Coordinates of all heavy atoms in Angstrom, one line a residue:
M1159 N 152.6 -119.6 134.7 CA 153.4 -120.1 135.7 C 152.9 -119.6 137.1 O 152.6 -118.4 137.3 CB 154.8 -119.6 135.6 CG 155.7 -119.8 136.8 SD 157.3 -119.2 136.6 CE 157.3 -117.5 136.5
K1160 N 152.6 -120.5 138.0 CA 152.2 -120.2 139.3 C 153.4 -119.7 140.2 O 154.5 -120.2 139.9 CB 151.5 -121.3 140.1 CG 150.1 -121.4 139.7 CD 149.3 -122.4 140.6 CE 147.9 -122.4 140.2 NZ 147.1 -123.2 141.1
L1161 N 153.2 -118.8 141.1 CA 154.2 -118.3 141.9 C 154.0 -118.8 143.4 O 152.9 -119.0 143.8 CB 154.3 -116.8 141.9 CG 154.6 -116.2 140.6 CD1 154.3 -114.7 140.6 CD2 156.0 -116.4 140.1
K1162 N 155.0 -118.9 144.2 CA 154.8 -119.3 145.5 C 155.5 -118.2 146.4 O 156.5 -117.7 146.0 CB 155.3 -120.7 145.8 CG 156.7 -120.8 146.3 CD 157.0 -122.3 146.7 CE 158.3 -122.4 147.5 NZ 158.6 -123.7 148.0
I1163 N 155.0 -118.1 147.5 CA 155.5 -117.1 148.6 C 156.6 -117.8 149.2 O 156.5 -119.0 149.6 CB 154.4 -116.7 149.5 CG1 153.4 -115.9 148.8 CG2 155.1 -115.9 150.7 CD1 152.2 -115.5 149.7
K1164 N 157.8 -117.1 149.4 CA 158.9 -117.7 149.9 C 158.6 -118.2 151.3 O 157.8 -117.6 152.2 CB 160.0 -116.7 150.1 CG 161.3 -117.1 150.7 CD 162.3 -116.0 150.7 CE 162.5 -115.5 152.0 NZ 163.6 -114.4 152.1
E1165 N 159.1 -119.4 151.7 CA 158.8 -120.0 153.0 C 159.6 -119.1 154.1 O 160.5 -118.5 153.8 CB 159.4 -121.5 153.0 CG 158.5 -122.4 152.2 CD 158.9 -123.9 152.2 OE1 159.3 -124.3 153.3 OE2 158.7 -124.5 151.2
G1166 N 159.0 -119.3 155.3 CA 159.7 -118.6 156.4 C 159.2 -117.2 156.7 O 159.7 -116.5 157.5
L1167 N 158.3 -116.7 155.9 CA 157.7 -115.3 156.1 C 156.5 -115.4 157.0 O 155.8 -116.4 157.1 CB 157.2 -114.7 154.7 CG 158.4 -114.6 153.6 CD1 157.7 -114.1 152.4 CD2 159.5 -113.8 154.1
A1168 N 156.4 -114.3 157.8 CA 155.2 -114.1 158.6 C 154.4 -113.0 158.1 O 154.9 -112.0 157.7 CB 155.6 -114.0 160.0
C1169 N 153.1 -113.0 158.2 CA 152.3 -112.0 157.7 C 151.1 -111.8 158.6 O 150.6 -112.7 159.3 CB 151.8 -112.2 156.3 SG 150.6 -113.4 156.1
R1170 N 150.5 -110.6 158.7 CA 149.4 -110.3 159.5 C 148.6 -109.1 158.9 O 149.3 -108.1 158.4 CB 149.9 -109.8 160.9 CG 148.7 -109.4 161.8 CD 149.1 -109.3 163.2 NE 148.0 -109.7 164.0 CZ 148.1 -110.4 165.1 NH1 149.2 -110.8 165.5 NH2 147.1 -110.8 165.8
R1171 N 147.3 -109.3 158.8 CA 146.5 -108.3 158.2 C 145.9 -107.4 159.3 O 145.3 -108.0 160.2 CB 145.4 -108.9 157.3 CG 144.6 -107.9 156.6 CD 143.7 -108.5 155.5 NE 143.1 -107.5 154.8 CZ 143.1 -107.3 153.5 NH1 143.9 -108.1 152.8 NH2 142.4 -106.3 153.0
I1172 N 146.0 -106.1 159.2 CA 145.6 -105.1 160.2 C 145.0 -103.9 159.4 O 145.7 -103.3 158.7 CB 146.7 -104.7 161.1 CG1 147.5 -105.8 161.8 CG2 146.2 -103.6 162.1 CD1 148.7 -105.4 162.6
G1173 N 143.7 -103.7 159.7 CA 143.1 -102.6 159.1 C 143.1 -102.4 157.6 O 143.4 -101.3 157.1
G1174 N 143.0 -103.5 156.8 CA 143.0 -103.4 155.5 C 144.4 -103.4 154.8 O 144.6 -103.4 153.6
E1175 N 145.4 -103.5 155.7 CA 146.8 -103.6 155.2 C 147.5 -104.9 155.7 O 147.0 -105.4 156.7 CB 147.7 -102.4 155.6 CG 147.2 -101.1 155.1 CD 148.1 -99.9 155.3 OE1 148.8 -100.0 156.4 OE2 148.0 -98.9 154.7
T1176 N 148.4 -105.4 154.9 CA 149.0 -106.7 155.3 C 150.5 -106.2 155.6 O 151.2 -105.5 154.8 CB 149.0 -107.7 154.2 OG1 147.6 -108.0 154.0 CG2 149.7 -108.9 154.6
F1177 N 151.0 -106.8 156.7 CA 152.4 -106.6 157.0 C 153.1 -107.9 156.9 O 152.7 -109.0 157.5 CB 152.5 -106.1 158.4 CG 151.9 -104.7 158.6 CD1 150.6 -104.6 158.9 CD2 152.7 -103.6 158.5 CE1 149.9 -103.3 159.0 CE2 152.1 -102.3 158.6 CZ 150.7 -102.2 158.9
V1178 N 154.2 -108.0 156.1 CA 154.9 -109.2 155.9 C 156.4 -109.0 156.5 O 156.9 -108.0 156.2 CB 155.1 -109.4 154.4 CG1 155.9 -110.7 154.1 CG2 153.7 -109.5 153.8
V1179 N 156.7 -110.0 157.3 CA 158.0 -109.9 157.9 C 158.9 -111.0 157.3 O 158.6 -112.1 157.3 CB 157.9 -110.2 159.5 CG1 159.3 -110.1 160.1 CG2 157.0 -109.1 160.1
D1180 N 160.1 -110.5 156.8 CA 161.1 -111.4 156.3 C 162.2 -111.3 157.4 O 163.1 -110.6 157.3 CB 161.5 -111.0 155.0 CG 162.6 -111.9 154.3 OD1 163.0 -112.8 155.1 OD2 162.9 -111.7 153.1
A1181 N 162.1 -112.2 158.4 CA 163.1 -112.2 159.5 C 164.4 -112.5 159.0 O 165.5 -111.8 159.5 CB 162.7 -113.2 160.5
A1182 N 164.6 -113.4 158.0 CA 166.0 -113.6 157.5 C 166.7 -112.5 157.0 O 168.0 -112.3 157.0 CB 165.9 -114.8 156.5
A1183 N 165.9 -111.6 156.3 CA 166.5 -110.4 155.6 C 166.3 -109.2 156.6 O 166.7 -108.1 156.2 CB 165.8 -110.1 154.3
A1184 N 165.7 -109.3 157.8 CA 165.5 -108.2 158.6 C 164.7 -107.1 158.0 O 165.0 -106.0 158.1 CB 166.8 -107.8 159.3
R1185 N 163.6 -107.5 157.3 CA 162.8 -106.5 156.6 C 161.3 -106.7 157.0 O 160.8 -107.8 157.0 CB 162.9 -106.7 155.0 CG 164.4 -106.4 154.7 CD 164.7 -105.8 153.4 NE 163.7 -104.7 153.1 CZ 163.6 -104.2 151.8 NH1 164.3 -104.8 150.9 NH2 162.8 -103.2 151.6
L1186 N 160.6 -105.5 157.0 CA 159.2 -105.4 157.2 C 158.6 -104.8 155.9 O 159.1 -103.8 155.4 CB 158.8 -104.7 158.4 CG 157.3 -104.4 158.6 CD1 156.6 -105.6 158.9 CD2 157.2 -103.4 159.6
H1187 N 157.6 -105.4 155.3 CA 157.0 -105.0 154.1 C 155.5 -104.6 154.5 O 154.8 -105.4 155.0 CB 157.0 -105.9 153.0 CG 158.4 -106.4 152.7 ND1 159.2 -105.8 151.7 CD2 159.1 -107.5 153.1 CE1 160.4 -106.4 151.7 NE2 160.3 -107.4 152.5
E1188 N 155.1 -103.4 154.2 CA 153.7 -103.0 154.4 C 153.0 -102.9 153.0 O 153.4 -102.3 152.1 CB 153.7 -101.6 155.0 CG 152.4 -101.1 155.3 CD 152.4 -99.8 156.0 OE1 153.5 -99.3 156.4 OE2 151.3 -99.2 156.2
L1189 N 151.8 -103.7 152.9 CA 151.1 -103.8 151.6 C 149.8 -103.1 151.7 O 149.0 -103.3 152.8 CB 150.9 -105.3 151.4 CG 152.1 -106.2 151.4 CD1 151.6 -107.6 151.1 CD2 153.2 -105.7 150.5
N1190 N 149.4 -102.2 150.8 CA 148.2 -101.6 150.8 C 147.1 -102.5 150.4 O 147.3 -103.7 150.1 CB 148.2 -100.3 150.0 CG 148.4 -100.6 148.4 OD1 148.3 -101.8 148.0 ND2 148.7 -99.6 147.7
G1191 N 145.8 -102.0 150.3 CA 144.7 -102.8 149.9 C 144.8 -103.7 148.7 O 144.7 -104.9 148.7
P1192 N 145.1 -103.1 147.5 CA 145.3 -103.9 146.3 C 146.4 -104.9 146.5 O 146.3 -106.1 146.1 CB 145.6 -102.9 145.2 CG 144.8 -101.7 145.7 CD 145.1 -101.7 147.2
A1193 N 147.6 -104.5 147.0 CA 148.7 -105.4 147.2 C 148.3 -106.5 148.2 O 148.8 -107.6 148.0 CB 149.9 -104.6 147.7
S1194 N 147.6 -106.2 149.2 CA 147.1 -107.2 150.2 C 146.3 -108.2 149.5 O 146.4 -109.5 149.7 CB 146.4 -106.6 151.3 OG 147.2 -105.8 152.1
L1195 N 145.4 -107.8 148.6 CA 144.5 -108.8 147.9 C 145.4 -109.7 147.0 O 145.1 -110.8 147.0 CB 143.5 -108.0 147.0 CG 142.5 -108.8 146.3 CD1 141.2 -108.0 146.3 CD2 142.8 -109.2 145.0
I1196 N 146.4 -109.1 146.3 CA 147.2 -109.9 145.4 C 148.1 -110.8 146.3 O 148.2 -112.1 146.0 CB 148.2 -109.1 144.5 CG1 147.3 -108.3 143.6 CG2 149.2 -109.9 143.9 CD1 148.2 -107.1 143.0
W1197 N 148.6 -110.5 147.4 CA 149.4 -111.3 148.3 C 148.5 -112.5 148.8 O 149.0 -113.6 148.8 CB 149.8 -110.5 149.6 CG 150.6 -111.3 150.5 CD1 150.1 -111.9 151.6 CD2 152.1 -111.6 150.5 NE1 151.1 -112.6 152.3 CE2 152.3 -112.4 151.6 CE3 153.0 -111.2 149.6 CZ2 153.5 -112.8 151.9 CZ3 154.3 -111.7 150.0 CH2 154.6 -112.5 151.1
E1198 N 147.3 -112.2 149.3 CA 146.4 -113.3 149.7 C 146.0 -114.2 148.6 O 145.9 -115.5 148.8 CB 145.2 -112.7 150.4 CG 145.5 -112.0 151.8 CD 144.4 -111.3 152.4 OE1 143.3 -111.4 151.9 OE2 144.6 -110.7 153.4
A1199 N 145.9 -113.7 147.4 CA 145.6 -114.5 146.3 C 146.7 -115.5 146.0 O 146.5 -116.7 145.8 CB 145.1 -113.7 145.0
L1200 N 147.9 -114.9 146.0 CA 149.0 -115.8 145.8 C 149.3 -116.8 146.9 O 149.7 -118.0 146.6 CB 150.3 -115.0 145.8 CG 150.5 -113.9 144.5 CD1 151.7 -113.1 144.8 CD2 150.8 -114.8 143.2
A1201 N 149.0 -116.4 148.1 CA 149.1 -117.3 149.2 C 148.1 -118.5 149.1 O 148.4 -119.6 149.5 CB 148.8 -116.7 150.5
A1202 N 147.0 -118.2 148.4 CA 146.0 -119.3 148.2 C 146.3 -120.1 146.9 O 145.5 -121.0 146.6 CB 144.6 -118.6 148.1
G1203 N 147.3 -119.7 146.2 CA 147.6 -120.5 145.0 C 147.0 -119.9 143.7 O 147.0 -120.7 142.7
A1204 N 146.4 -118.7 143.8 CA 145.7 -118.2 142.6 C 146.8 -117.8 141.5 O 147.8 -117.4 141.8 CB 144.9 -117.0 143.0
D1205 N 146.3 -118.0 140.3 CA 147.2 -117.6 139.2 C 146.9 -116.0 138.8 O 146.0 -115.4 139.4 CB 146.9 -118.4 137.9 CG 145.5 -118.4 137.5 OD1 144.7 -117.5 137.9 OD2 145.2 -119.3 136.6
R1206 N 147.6 -115.5 137.8 CA 147.4 -114.1 137.4 C 145.9 -113.8 137.1 O 145.4 -112.8 137.5 CB 148.3 -113.8 136.3 CG 148.3 -112.4 135.8 CD 149.2 -112.2 134.5 NE 149.3 -110.7 134.3 CZ 148.3 -110.1 133.5 NH1 147.3 -110.6 133.1 NH2 148.6 -108.7 133.2
G1207 N 145.4 -114.7 136.3 CA 144.0 -114.4 135.8 C 143.0 -114.2 137.0 O 142.1 -113.4 137.0
T1208 N 143.1 -115.2 138.0 CA 142.3 -115.1 139.1 C 142.5 -113.9 140.0 O 141.6 -113.2 140.4 CB 142.5 -116.4 139.9 OG1 142.1 -117.5 139.2 CG2 141.6 -116.3 141.2
S1209 N 143.8 -113.6 140.1 CA 144.1 -112.4 140.9 C 143.6 -111.1 140.2 O 143.1 -110.2 140.9 CB 145.7 -112.3 141.0 OG 146.1 -113.3 141.7
V1210 N 143.8 -111.0 138.8 CA 143.2 -109.8 138.2 C 141.7 -109.7 138.3 O 141.1 -108.7 138.5 CB 143.6 -109.9 136.7 CG1 142.9 -108.9 135.8 CG2 145.2 -109.7 136.6
G1211 N 141.0 -110.9 138.2 CA 139.6 -110.9 138.5 C 139.2 -110.4 139.8 O 138.2 -109.7 139.9
L1212 N 139.9 -110.8 140.8 CA 139.6 -110.3 142.2 C 139.8 -108.8 142.3 O 139.1 -108.2 142.9 CB 140.6 -111.1 143.2 CG 140.3 -112.6 143.4 CD1 141.4 -113.2 144.2 CD2 139.0 -112.7 144.0
L1213 N 140.9 -108.3 141.6 CA 141.2 -106.9 141.7 C 140.1 -106.1 141.0 O 139.5 -105.1 141.6 CB 142.6 -106.6 141.0 CG 143.7 -106.9 141.7 CD1 145.0 -106.8 140.9 CD2 143.9 -106.1 143.0
T1214 N 139.5 -106.5 139.8 CA 138.5 -105.9 139.1 C 137.2 -105.9 140.0 O 136.4 -104.9 139.9 CB 138.3 -106.4 137.8 OG1 137.9 -107.7 137.8 CG2 139.6 -106.2 136.9
A1215 N 137.0 -107.0 140.6 CA 135.7 -107.1 141.5 C 135.8 -106.3 142.7 O 134.7 -105.7 143.1 CB 135.6 -108.6 141.8
E1216 N 136.9 -106.1 143.3 CA 137.0 -105.4 144.6 C 137.3 -103.9 144.4 O 136.8 -103.2 145.2 CB 138.2 -106.0 145.4 CG 138.5 -105.4 146.7 CD 137.4 -105.7 147.7 OE1 136.7 -106.8 147.6 OE2 137.2 -105.0 148.7
F1217 N 138.0 -103.6 143.4 CA 138.3 -102.1 143.1 C 137.7 -101.7 141.8 O 137.5 -102.5 140.9 CB 139.8 -101.9 143.2 CG 140.5 -102.4 144.4 CD1 141.0 -103.7 144.6 CD2 140.5 -101.6 145.5 CE1 141.6 -104.1 145.8 CE2 141.0 -102.0 146.7 CZ 141.6 -103.3 146.9
D1218 N 137.5 -100.4 141.7 CA 136.9 -99.9 140.4 C 138.0 -99.7 139.3 O 138.4 -98.5 139.0 CB 136.2 -98.6 140.7 CG 135.4 -98.1 139.6 OD1 135.0 -98.9 138.8 OD2 135.1 -96.9 139.5
V1219 N 138.5 -100.8 138.8 CA 139.5 -100.7 137.7 C 139.1 -101.7 136.7 O 138.4 -102.8 136.8 CB 140.9 -101.1 138.3 CG1 141.4 -99.9 139.2 CG2 141.0 -102.5 138.9
D1220 N 139.7 -101.5 135.4 CA 139.4 -102.5 134.3 C 140.5 -103.5 134.4 O 141.5 -103.4 135.2 CB 139.4 -101.6 133.0 CG 140.7 -100.9 132.8 OD1 141.7 -101.7 132.4 OD2 140.8 -99.7 132.9
A1221 N 140.3 -104.5 133.6 CA 141.3 -105.7 133.6 C 142.6 -105.3 133.1 O 143.6 -105.8 133.7 CB 140.7 -106.7 132.7
G1222 N 142.7 -104.4 132.2 CA 144.1 -103.9 131.8 C 144.8 -103.2 132.9 O 146.0 -103.6 133.0
T1223 N 144.2 -102.4 133.6 CA 144.9 -101.7 134.7 C 145.2 -102.6 135.9 O 146.3 -102.6 136.4 CB 143.9 -100.5 135.3 OG1 143.7 -99.6 134.2 CG2 144.6 -99.9 136.4
A1224 N 144.2 -103.5 136.1 CA 144.5 -104.6 137.2 C 145.6 -105.5 136.8 O 146.4 -105.8 137.6 CB 143.2 -105.3 137.5
G1225 N 145.7 -105.8 135.6 CA 146.7 -106.8 135.1 C 148.2 -106.0 135.2 O 149.1 -106.7 135.6
A1226 N 148.2 -104.7 134.8 CA 149.5 -104.0 134.9 C 149.9 -103.9 136.4 O 151.0 -104.0 136.7 CB 149.3 -102.7 134.3
D1227 N 148.8 -103.6 137.2 CA 149.1 -103.5 138.6 C 149.6 -104.8 139.2 O 150.6 -104.8 140.0 CB 147.9 -103.0 139.5 CG 147.5 -101.6 139.2 OD1 148.4 -100.8 138.5 OD2 146.4 -101.1 139.6
Y1228 N 149.0 -105.8 138.8 CA 149.4 -107.2 139.3 C 150.9 -107.5 138.9 O 151.7 -107.8 139.6 CB 148.5 -108.2 138.7 CG 149.1 -109.7 138.9 CD1 148.6 -110.4 140.1 CD2 149.9 -110.3 138.1 CE1 149.0 -111.6 140.4 CE2 150.3 -111.6 138.4 CZ 149.9 -112.4 139.6 OH 150.3 -113.5 139.8
D1229 N 151.2 -107.2 137.6 CA 152.5 -107.4 137.1 C 153.6 -106.6 137.8 O 154.6 -107.1 138.1 CB 152.6 -107.2 135.5 CG 151.8 -108.2 134.8 OD1 151.5 -109.3 135.3 OD2 151.4 -107.8 133.6
D1230 N 153.3 -105.3 138.0 CA 154.2 -104.4 138.7 C 154.4 -104.9 140.1 O 155.6 -105.0 140.6 CB 153.7 -103.0 138.8 CG 153.6 -102.3 137.4 OD1 154.4 -102.8 136.6 OD2 153.0 -101.3 137.3
F1231 N 153.4 -105.3 140.9 CA 153.5 -105.7 142.2 C 154.3 -107.0 142.3 O 155.1 -107.2 143.2 CB 152.2 -105.8 142.9 CG 152.3 -106.3 144.4 CD1 152.9 -105.5 145.3 CD2 151.6 -107.4 144.8 CE1 153.1 -105.8 146.6 CE2 151.8 -107.8 146.1 CZ 152.5 -107.0 147.0
V1232 N 154.0 -108.0 141.4 CA 154.7 -109.3 141.5 C 156.1 -109.1 141.1 O 157.0 -109.7 141.8 CB 154.0 -110.3 140.5 CG1 154.9 -111.4 140.3 CG2 152.6 -110.8 141.1
G1233 N 156.4 -108.1 140.3 CA 157.8 -107.8 140.0 C 158.6 -107.2 141.3 O 159.7 -107.6 141.5
E1234 N 157.8 -106.4 142.0 CA 158.5 -105.9 143.3 C 158.6 -107.0 144.2 O 159.7 -107.0 144.9 CB 157.4 -104.8 143.8 CG 157.4 -103.6 143.2 CD 156.3 -102.6 143.7 OE1 156.2 -102.6 144.9 OE2 155.8 -101.8 142.9
L1235 N 157.7 -107.9 144.4 CA 157.9 -109.0 145.3 C 159.1 -110.0 145.0 O 159.8 -110.3 145.7 CB 156.6 -109.9 145.3 CG 155.3 -109.2 146.0 CD1 154.1 -110.2 145.9 CD2 155.6 -108.9 147.5
S1236 N 159.2 -110.1 143.6 CA 160.3 -111.0 143.1 C 161.6 -110.2 143.4 O 162.6 -110.9 143.9 CB 160.1 -111.2 141.6 OG 159.1 -112.0 141.4
R1237 N 161.7 -109.0 143.1 CA 163.0 -108.2 143.4 C 163.3 -108.1 144.8 O 164.5 -108.2 145.3 CB 162.9 -106.8 142.8 CG 163.0 -106.9 141.2 CD 163.1 -105.3 140.7 NE 161.8 -104.6 141.0 CZ 160.8 -104.7 140.2 NH1 160.7 -105.5 139.2 NH2 159.7 -104.0 140.6
A1238 N 162.3 -108.2 145.7 CA 162.5 -108.2 147.1 C 162.8 -109.6 147.6 O 163.1 -109.8 148.8 CB 161.3 -107.7 147.9
G1239 N 162.8 -110.7 146.8 CA 163.2 -112.0 147.2 C 162.0 -112.6 147.9 O 162.3 -113.6 148.7
L1240 N 160.8 -112.3 147.7 CA 159.7 -112.8 148.5 C 158.9 -113.9 147.7 O 158.0 -114.5 148.2 CB 158.7 -111.8 148.9 CG 159.3 -110.7 149.8 CD1 158.3 -109.6 150.1 CD2 159.9 -111.2 151.0
L1241 N 159.1 -114.1 146.4 CA 158.6 -115.1 145.6 C 159.5 -116.0 144.9 O 160.6 -115.7 144.7 CB 157.7 -114.4 144.5 CG 156.6 -113.5 144.9 CD1 155.9 -112.9 143.7 CD2 155.5 -114.3 145.7
S1242 N 158.9 -117.2 144.6 CA 159.7 -118.1 143.7 C 158.7 -118.9 142.9 O 157.6 -119.0 143.3 CB 160.6 -119.0 144.6 OG 159.8 -119.8 145.4
P1243 N 159.2 -119.4 141.8 CA 158.2 -120.2 141.0 C 157.7 -121.5 141.7 O 158.5 -122.0 142.5 CB 159.0 -120.6 139.7 CG 160.2 -119.8 139.8 CD 160.4 -119.4 141.2
G1244 N 156.5 -121.9 141.5 CA 156.1 -123.1 142.1 C 154.6 -122.9 142.6 O 154.0 -122.0 142.4
P1245 N 154.1 -124.0 143.1 CA 152.7 -124.0 143.6 C 152.5 -123.0 144.7 O 153.5 -122.8 145.5 CB 152.4 -125.4 144.0 CG 153.7 -126.0 144.3 CD 154.7 -125.3 143.4
G1246 N 151.4 -122.4 144.9 CA 151.2 -121.4 146.0 C 151.4 -122.1 147.4 O 151.0 -123.2 147.6
V1247 N 152.0 -121.3 148.3 CA 152.2 -121.7 149.6 C 151.8 -120.6 150.5 O 152.1 -119.4 150.3 CB 153.7 -122.1 149.9 CG1 154.0 -122.4 151.3 CG2 154.1 -123.3 149.0
K1248 N 151.1 -120.9 151.5 CA 150.6 -119.8 152.4 C 151.8 -119.4 153.4 O 152.7 -120.2 153.8 CB 149.5 -120.3 153.4 CG 148.3 -120.6 152.6 CD 147.2 -121.0 153.5 CE 145.9 -121.1 152.8 NZ 144.7 -121.4 153.6
A1249 N 151.9 -118.1 153.6 CA 152.9 -117.5 154.6 C 152.3 -117.8 155.9 O 151.1 -117.9 156.1 CB 153.0 -116.0 154.3
R1250 N 153.1 -118.0 156.9 CA 152.7 -118.2 158.3 C 152.0 -117.0 158.9 O 152.6 -115.9 158.9 CB 153.9 -118.6 159.0 CG 153.5 -118.9 160.5 CD 154.8 -119.4 161.3 NE 156.0 -118.5 161.2 CZ 156.2 -117.5 161.8 NH1 155.4 -117.2 162.9 NH2 157.3 -116.8 161.7
R1251 N 150.8 -117.1 159.4 CA 150.1 -116.0 160.0 C 150.4 -115.8 161.5 O 150.5 -116.9 162.1 CB 148.6 -116.2 159.8 CG 148.1 -115.9 158.4 CD 146.7 -115.6 158.3 NE 146.3 -115.1 157.1 CZ 146.2 -113.9 156.7 NH1 146.4 -113.0 157.6 NH2 145.9 -113.6 155.5
T1252 N 150.7 -114.6 161.9 CA 151.0 -114.4 163.4 C 149.9 -113.8 164.0 O 149.0 -113.1 163.4 CB 152.3 -113.8 163.5 OG1 152.2 -112.5 162.9 CG2 153.4 -114.5 162.9

């Protein structure tokens, strides 16, 4: 299942971190390097396998660790109300 980033969010990458603003919920989310990579992959419509491959290529982790990190982070995004099922949609960059 592909996931999509909730519409109406704004994001900006600064110094290796991504900041996501959910104005409707009055929340700011700060994403570290691996989380930023996953976020950008989701915004581009990437699936879990592609995202895990990107993590293993960028960071010194095996596929099992990268997959667990992906699952944990996607779970956090879902609980925060930032994702929904569907084709990937880019967040608005500011």
Side-chain angles (χ1 to χ4, degrees):
M1159 168 179 66
K1160 281 199 177 184
L1161 299 169
K1162 99 174 191 177
I1163 294 172
K1164 180 177 112 176
E1165 292 187 31
L1167 301 176
C1169 69
R1170 178 170 216 141
R1171 187 167 181 122
I1172 301 172
E1175 295 185 340
T1176 300
F1177 297 88
V1178 178
V1179 177
D1180 183 353
R1185 299 218 39 200
L1186 172 68
H1187 305 271
E1188 182 179 350
L1189 311 180
N1190 65 13
S1194 293
L1195 188 146
I1196 295 168
W1197 178 267
E1198 290 176 2
L1200 290 170
D1205 61 13
R1206 183 184 187 278
T1208 300
S1209 298
V1210 168
L1212 292 169
L1213 286 169
T1214 60
E1216 181 70 23
F1217 301 97
D1218 189 22
V1219 296
D1220 60 77
T1223 301
D1227 289 348
Y1228 174 90
D1229 294 339
D1230 290 344
F1231 182 61
V1232 166
E1234 289 178 30
L1235 292 175
S1236 294
R1237 286 187 295 279
L1240 301 178
L1241 294 180
S1242 61
V1247 173
K1248 292 185 179 180
R1250 179 176 51 88
R1251 290 197 168 262
T1252 59

